[in-house]
Amino acid sequence: MPVFSIVMPTYNRATTIGRAIESVQAQTFTDWELLIVDDGSVDDTSAVVAGYGDSRIKYIYQENAERSAARNNGIAHASGNYVCFIDSDDYYFDNHLAAFYAFLLAHNFPVALVFGQTCVDLDGVVTQEPFTAQPTEKRTEFFIVNIVGVPRTCIARSILLEEQFDPTVRIGEDMVLWTRIMRKYPYYHIPDYTQAYVEHSGRSVSASEKPFKEH
């Protein structure tokens, strides 16, 4: 049984998934399994994954049901004590799992949600995005005010067998899940920058802000 199960949902990412997979393989902490959940791809994603020949990498195919269902499918197949996530167009730094493991070990492996720092990779230029928690009147509002993306998190699998992503929520499904989790379990923030999400100058982040806030 590995310490970490890493869930990667993917859809038609055969040409870009390699960096994400290789960033997991490059981890300095090596006790992991990678669960790649193919959400109905029609390209050669399965062949690309098979080409890695790594027994720690498991390929799961499902009919297209969107990312929440894909993540839940990965969780159902996970065997690690903790579950991490990575999107197929993003990547980890080699310290990602090591940083989480160091925290978990120091805190006697808590049943909790833990999240770290993130970077943005804009056309190959990587910039740290500092996180300063904004205060909230109610504890359960923390993840509504403070946005924490899925690849930044590490969560005890026992929690995710009880609370999972809601497939009916198309925008902010992570926020909904984190808020449900924190009603019952503690959360912790570690200061390490351990992963990057990829942006492109042709893709406008602001274009998604209006529907996100309305939703």
Side-chain angles (χ1 to χ4, degrees):
M1 178 185 297
V3 173
F4 296 105
S5 294
I6 303 163
V7 174
M8 179 194 297
T10 188
Y11 178 74
N12 288 339
R13 290 287 185 179
T15 58
T16 59
I17 196 174
R19 178 162 64 170
I21 294 173
E22 289 159 20
S23 76
V24 175
Q25 289 182 308
Q27 292 301 296
T28 58
F29 185 90
T30 59
D31 191 8
W32 53 263
E33 66 175 359
L34 173 61
L35 304 163
I36 299 176
V37 185
D38 187 340
D39 187 38
S41 293
V42 295
D43 60 9
D44 60 344
T45 293
S46 62
V48 170
V49 173
Y52 282 92
D54 190 327
S55 62
R56 297 172 296 177
I57 299 175
K58 299 173 176 62
Y59 175 83
I60 303 162
Y61 181 84
Q62 67 176 36
E63 295 298 325
N64 179 245
E66 301 300 334
R67 60 191 179 190
S68 288
R71 287 172 179 149
N72 290 342
N73 196 355
I75 292 166
H77 285 83
S79 60
N81 291 323
Y82 290 86
V83 177
C84 298
F85 300 92
I86 184 172
D87 291 337
S88 56
D89 52 349
D90 298 329
Y91 59 93
Y92 288 163
F93 303 144
D94 64 5
N95 67 326
H96 185 78
L97 297 181
F100 280 113
Y101 184 77
F103 176 88
L104 296 171
L105 180 63
H107 292 79
N108 198 27
F109 297 97
V111 178
L113 182 157
V114 185
F115 67 95
Q117 300 280 81
T118 191
C119 297
V120 60
D121 180 330
L122 177 60
D123 296 328
V125 178
V126 180
T127 306
Q128 293 180 347
E129 292 197 335
F131 178 85
T132 302
Q134 300 300 311
T136 60
E137 292 185 8
K138 297 180 181 180
R139 182 176 183 272
T140 50
E141 294 175 349
F142 181 86
F143 287 114
I144 297 174
V145 174
N146 299 284
I147 305 301
V148 174
V150 178
R152 296 172 63 174
T153 62
C154 174
I155 305 169
R157 182 166 63 95
S158 60
I159 295 177
L160 293 173
L161 295 178
E162 178 183 327
E163 299 283 354
Q164 297 195 0
F165 293 96
D166 185 344
T168 67
V169 179
R170 301 291 297 274
I171 301 175
E173 72 284 351
D174 48 355
M175 177 193 302
V176 173
L177 178 56
W178 307 161
T179 301
R180 290 209 319 267
I181 288 174
M182 71 181 302
R183 289 176 176 175
K184 304 177 184 179
Y185 300 98
Y187 66 91
Y188 301 96
H189 174 225
I190 63 174
D192 305 77
Y193 287 88
T194 66
Q195 55 84 219
Y197 68 90
V198 177
E199 280 286 358
H200 306 282
S201 55
R203 173 183 167 193
S204 174
V205 177
S206 61
S208 65
E209 288 181 356
K210 187 175 187 291
F212 178 81
K213 290 178 179 178
E214 288 177 348
H215 188 81

